[in-house]
Structure formats: C-alpha cells, structure tokens
Amino acid sequence: MLRILMVPLVLCIDVEPDAHVFGPDQPSPWSGFESMLEMAPPLRDRLRRLTGRPAHFGWSLRIDPQVAMGYGSPTYVAEKYRARLDDLAAQGDAIGVHPHAWRWDAERQVTVAEHADRQWVDSCTELAVGSFCQVFGRVPDYHRFGAQYMSTPTMNLLRHLGVTVDLTVEPGEGPDRDAQLPGTVWTGQTGDFRHAPTGPYRPSPDDYLRPAEDGGGGANLWEVPLTSSDSSRFPTPAHRARRRLQHPVRSARGLVRRVSPSLGGPSLPGHRLLAMWLEWARPSDFWDAAFEAATSQPSPYLAFAIRTDTGSHPVLRHTFTTLMDALMEDERAADLSFVTPAEALAEMGRSEMSRARLPAPPVTPLEPSQ
Ligand SMILES: [Zn+2]
C-alpha cells in the first residue's frame, strides 16, 4: 500500500522514582520504570505490526541532585540499569536526560523547586548532561527539564553543552502548573508556554520561545514542542471531577488553574498540553485531537511525554494502555512512525543530522499475534 502521509510520533518516557519528592532517608522505589521496561517490548512489537515500521521510544533519565541525595549517585539509574538501557539503545531508542531542580531543605523538611536560583538550575543542567557523558561516552540524545522549567539562559547552556534536541516546551501551558504538589515549596517561575511555538524551531539565544532569526546561526539545537490541542477537545467537567477523586496530585493542578488565572487559567489562548495521563471519555477523543493537531502543522508530527509511574500507578497505567489499545484499532495509525526526536526532525527535513539515523523503510508486517 502506498502511504502518502507519514506522521513521526515521539513518545518520551521520563525515567523517575515513583514518588515526585521524598526525604533523604526514604528514597522512593523505581518500580514504575521496571514496569515500563516490561511493557515496552510487547508494545514495540504491536506498534511494529500496526505501522509496518520499527518502533522507537525515548527514555529521559533523571540525573540530578535529588537522585544523588536519595540513591548515592546522580547517575544511579544509568548505572543500575545500564545493560537494559544499552539494549534499548541497540533497538534504536533514544536515551536522554530529565533533570529536576529539586533541593532538599533539611531545616524545613521540604523539597524546594529552586527555580529562582540560576546557579542551582545551571548546576542541575550541567550535572545531568556532564554525568550522562561520563557514563555513556556521548552527549544525551535529548533533554527535557522537569516540572515544565525552562529559561533562555538554560536553553543557551544546553546549546553550549552540545545538546541537540530539547522537548521541554508544552505549548498553551502557563507557568508553575504543578506548584501545589504536596511536600514542596516553589521559588521563581517555570516556563510560560502560553504563546510558545507549536512546531519545531531553533530557539533564539535572546528568547528561547522565539525561533532564531538567522535560523540558529549554525547551532544545532532544536526545540521540539510537545503536542497540544484546542481546549474544547478535552474531557468534560464530569470526567474531570471523577479524575480528581482518583488522582489528588493532578487535582491540585486543577485547583491552581481555577484559583489563579495568572497561572494559566482562563487567559490561556485556547490550547493545552495533550496529556496521555488525562482520563478521556473515549480514547478516540484523544486520537481525534492528536491527529487534528498533527495535521494542523506544516510538517505533521506528534510528541508526547509520560512519566514512568505510568507503569506502576493503576489509574495511569489503565489510561495509557486504553489509549494504546484504541490506537491499535485506528486505521489512521498506519500513517504513524514511532521515532526518536532526532529521527522526527530528520523526517520533517528539519535537521542536518545524519540521514543514516532515519528509520528503516516500511517492513513487511509480521503475522498478527494470537
Ligand atoms: Zn519529571
């Protein structure tokens, strides 16, 4: 069958401890990551049969001071699961980094999201990229800062460190979306993505939310914004109410939106992050919104990020698997190509990166599984 349209889809998995925050004596397990490692091979096989192409994922490793505090080394997850990560990379997956700016405040016994301290944020970025280089002998395939934090100095630092792709920007989302997370205190402000570009661009050194006027001046750093969609596409209030009962952390986010328009409530320009962790009334609603968002782009693409607790949290796991099951029944899925961020850019003709990194041409679909 001749396929006219191919839509690159980046599925980025933030590899993190199960809990967002924890004290130094109570490090949280990584059971969600271990579950995702088990979920990935059958999902990869199903997607390969579905699309007729190899399926690649992105794994963004938490490497930062909070991990160093809890597990004795900032690169704990890279070291402990090195063989599994090498296996994923050998199958074509991208391995990136996902630092958070968490700082444990021993006196107050809380975790501080230290976004106001430029030096601290820089040290987190440098620790993530530098430690990754030491362990793997290469620059991370992509970067995605935690808690929606980004700034022009941080983006410029990533460029300076040789990072080629960032996936932090979530168009339509206001700053400090997660600032009500229990056990945390937030300083400064996270990224204000309400007017962010919705397609790949080379960030301007003067303003990371604007494309560089000279196309980037030869610098090889691309921002690949996650996919967002028109607010009218999102689950109804009845569904959100049910969701709040099931997931109090997410409900805190909703509270921020309701009480503080300046933090991204009614002033949003009508778009929100197309989140896989929302409970959609029908999974096809999610995919309708996704394909609409993709085809509204000059070069259609999709980019989603999930956290590894998708593997261990019953509601998140059910929501994700329901979405993927629905995709298996969706004839539009034949147009998708599950790719790494670099492959997505190459497919969109947005990168001088090696064409050799393009995915192989369509393969003959395997026999359907029993
Ligand atoms: Zn995170």
Side-chain angles (χ1 to χ4, degrees):
M1 180 176 67
L2 177 65
R3 285 180 189 147
I4 297 166
L5 181 67
M6 180 160 76
V7 179
L9 186 156
V10 175
L11 179 59
C12 181
I13 302 160
D14 295 340
V15 177
E16 314 199 51
D18 295 345
H20 292 263
V21 293
F22 45 83
D25 302 327
Q26 296 132 343
S28 175
W30 298 70
S31 65
F33 177 40
E34 294 185 348
S35 297
M36 291 300 289
L37 285 172
E38 301 311 312
M39 290 166 70
L43 180 60
R44 194 190 303 277
D45 288 347
R46 291 171 81 196
L47 291 171
R48 178 186 161 95
R49 284 194 294 271
L50 180 72
T51 65
R53 304 179 179 97
H56 299 156
F57 307 123
W59 304 82
S60 12
L61 311 181
R62 277 290 300 282
I63 297 176
D64 60 26
Q66 188 200 38
V67 173
M69 174 198 76
Y71 310 92
S73 165
T75 50
Y76 168 83
V77 72
E79 292 160 21
K80 178 169 180 187
Y81 298 96
R82 179 63 192 269
R84 303 297 296 270
L85 293 166
D86 284 348
D87 182 50
L88 293 170
Q91 296 188 58
D93 288 359
I95 313 293
V97 289
H98 176 64
H100 275 254
W102 299 125
R103 172 150 64 184
W104 175 248
D105 185 327
E107 199 170 309
R108 290 188 285 173
Q109 295 285 298
V110 294
T111 300
V112 181
E114 201 69 281
H115 299 135
D117 186 336
R118 163 92 184 274
Q119 265 190 327
W120 175 259
V121 172
D122 284 357
S123 72
C124 295
T125 310
E126 287 166 347
L127 182 66
V129 177
S131 303
F132 184 100
C133 290
Q134 277 177 5
V135 171
F136 291 98
R138 61 187 175 85
V139 175
D141 293 325
Y142 67 98
H143 168 276
R144 190 174 128 70
F145 211 101
Q148 301 88 41
Y149 177 83
M150 187 43 70
S151 70
T152 297
T154 299
M155 192 69 87
N156 290 341
L157 177 58
L158 290 170
R159 187 186 294 107
H160 175 73
L161 293 171
V163 173
T164 52
V165 189
D166 178 79
L167 284 105
T168 308
V169 171
E170 303 180 357
E173 295 289 327
D176 290 338
R177 187 181 67 197
D178 294 348
Q180 302 297 312
L181 188 69
T184 65
V185 171
W186 292 54
T187 71
Q189 193 182 67
T190 65
D192 184 349
F193 304 141
R194 283 174 289 182
H195 301 281
T198 55
Y201 63 101
R202 289 182 143 152
S204 164
D206 302 318
D207 177 357
Y208 79 95
L209 288 169
R210 276 194 298 112
E213 283 174 9
D214 63 354
N220 202 20
L221 171 63
W222 284 88
E223 175 61 41
V224 178
L226 298 188
T227 298
S228 61
S229 173
D230 191 280
S231 297
S232 64
R233 288 285 192 179
F234 281 76
T236 62
H239 270 87
R240 285 204 293 272
R242 195 156 73 236
R243 178 76 189 181
R244 275 196 291 280
L245 293 173
Q246 293 167 333
H247 203 294
V249 172
R250 306 292 192 207
S251 85
R253 293 178 177 175
L255 184 66
V256 175
R257 285 211 182 83
R258 285 193 299 279
V259 300
S260 180
S262 67
L263 294 183
S267 62
L268 276 172
H271 275 67
R272 292 176 56 195
L273 178 72
L274 194 55
M276 297 190 107
W277 42 261
L278 279 174
E279 191 187 22
W280 296 83
R282 293 174 306 171
S284 58
D285 291 347
F286 174 89
W287 292 112
D288 287 348
F291 282 102
E292 182 186 81
T295 51
S296 73
Q297 295 286 330
S299 295
Y301 81 103
L302 293 166
F304 304 116
I306 56 174
R307 201 173 177 276
T308 38
D309 58 357
T310 301
S312 55
H313 188 293
V315 174
L316 297 178
R317 183 176 174 127
H318 178 260
T319 302
F320 177 73
T321 53
T322 301
L323 285 181
M324 298 315 287
D325 288 349
L327 184 62
M328 302 298 160
E329 307 297 323
D330 194 322
E331 62 180 19
R332 295 170 295 186
D335 295 329
L336 294 178
S337 176
F338 280 72
V339 293
T340 66
E343 289 167 343
L345 285 166
E347 284 186 13
M348 288 186 278
R350 303 295 184 88
S351 170
E352 294 75 45
M353 290 176 193
S354 166
R355 306 295 287 185
R357 292 220 63 185
L358 277 170
V363 296
T364 307
L366 303 174
E367 287 303 307
S369 61
Q370 59 286 359

